[in-house]
Amino acid sequence: MLASKFLFSVSFLLFFLLHPTKTLAQGPAAAPAPPGPTNVTKVLEKAGQFTVFIRLLKATQEDVTLNGQLNNTNNGITIFAPSDSAFQSLKSGTLNSINDQEKAELVQFHIIPTYVSSSQFQTLSNPVATQAGSGDRFQLNVTTTGNAVNISTGLTNTSVSGSIYTDGQLAVYQVDKVLLPIDIFTPKPPTPAPAPEISKKKKAKAIADSPVSTKDVSGAESFIISNNVVLFGVGIVTAILSL
């Protein structure tokens, strides 16, 4: 019995001495790597169904602006992200009918330059300022009814259908309609064409063809003046002869 215990102790000691690396390697687990910088397009890509909005963000380079604000400043941002089905419901050719500057303004119209949590929507003052601006050109009105958040632009009426991402600085909410600003998508009255200029030849012809031309008028004036001179002369002679 004692011999068996002795042999077991010696075997265990030899095993420990011959395998030190294996025993020491079982230390505490490594801490997870810190998260990378916030990337708006990656947030949307992970959520899915926002490919058209992502394409617009990249085409207008608004994604670069947003990522710079999020990672280099303390400014908060709130994004109303239209789903792919929201873009599909637009009239055919809607996006192709606007220029590059208007596309950038359309994207910016979906972004509020402050962080707004779901409980803070009721504190917003209308019209809400967006990255595109505010006032008459870009009117975005947000109202709440219970837990529902309603959005109106004058052309679009929709509501927030879900929360995609929030971290205290960036909030992304899904909307099922594209927010169309009046300033871009309201037909503008056509500019009146300038009146055509009349050439000098046409002006001269018009004067010559008039019922009383300049020549006729000047001739009539000369005739009247001549008659007055003659009458005046006759009057003088008559006065002399009467003396």
Side-chain angles (χ1 to χ4, degrees), residues 223-234:
F223 176 76
I224 293 171
I225 293 171
S226 298
N227 284 347
N228 288 337
V229 171
V230 171
L231 292 174
F232 179 73
V234 172

Side-chain angles (χ1 to χ4, degrees), residues 65-77:
T65 301
L66 293 176
N67 292 334
Q69 291 176 351
L70 291 170
N71 297 301
N72 300 320
T73 70
N74 294 323
N75 297 337
I77 292 172

Side-chain angles (χ1 to χ4, degrees), residues 66 76-80 108-116 121 124 128-131 140 142:
L66 293 176
I77 292 172
T78 300
I79 301 175
F80 296 118
Q108 293 166 355
F109 190 58
H110 289 75
I111 302 168
I112 299 176
T114 55
Y115 173 80
V116 182
F121 280 114
L124 296 178
V128 179
T130 68
Q131 292 276 65
L140 184 73
V142 177

Side-chain angles (χ1 to χ4, degrees), residues 7-206:
L7 290 174
F8 176 79
S9 300
V10 171
S11 299
F12 180 80
L13 180 61
L14 289 174
F15 178 83
F16 180 83
L17 292 174
L18 293 174
H19 300 81
T21 304
K22 184 175 180 180
T23 305
L24 295 175
Q26 296 176 351
T38 304
N39 188 299
V40 172
T41 55
K42 287 185 177 180
V43 168
L44 293 170
E45 287 170 356
K46 184 177 180 180
Q49 67 180 354
F50 295 101
T51 56
V52 178
F53 190 57
I54 291 172
R55 188 161 64 244
L56 281 173
L57 282 167
K58 292 182 177 181
T60 59
Q61 296 189 337
E62 190 64 23
D63 62 326
V64 177
T65 301
L66 293 176
N67 292 334
Q69 291 176 351
L70 291 170
N71 297 301
N72 300 320
T73 70
N74 294 323
N75 297 337
I77 292 172
T78 300
I79 301 175
F80 296 118
S83 61
D84 290 338
S85 60
F87 283 99
Q88 292 171 2
S89 65
L90 290 175
K91 184 180 178 180
S92 178
T94 297
L95 293 181
N96 292 331
S97 67
I98 60 178
N99 58 40
D100 291 343
Q101 179 181 347
E102 291 171 332
K103 287 178 182 177
E105 291 176 332
L106 175 62
V107 172
Q108 293 166 355
F109 190 58
H110 289 75
I111 302 168
I112 299 176
T114 55
Y115 173 80
V116 182
S117 67
S118 58
S119 62
Q120 291 175 323
F121 280 114
Q122 60 184 351
T123 66
L124 296 178
S125 299
N126 292 317
V128 179
T130 68
Q131 292 276 65
S134 61
D136 295 336
R137 295 191 66 228
F138 299 98
Q139 293 191 27
L140 184 73
N141 296 297
V142 177
T143 57
T144 58
T145 305
N147 293 327
V149 180
N150 307 303
I151 304 172
S152 174
T153 72
L155 293 177
T156 303
N157 291 298
T158 188
S159 58
V160 172
S161 58
S163 178
I164 304 301
Y165 179 87
T166 178
D167 63 4
Q169 184 185 19
L170 170 65
V172 183
Y173 300 98
Q174 178 177 335
V175 290
D176 294 329
K177 287 185 179 181
V178 180
L179 306 179
L180 302 178
I182 293 179
D183 184 72
I184 296 177
F185 292 98
T186 298
K188 298 174 177 58
T191 303
E197 292 186 2
I198 302 175
S199 64
K200 292 182 179 179
K201 290 183 178 179
K202 289 184 178 180
K203 286 183 179 178
K205 187 176 184 302

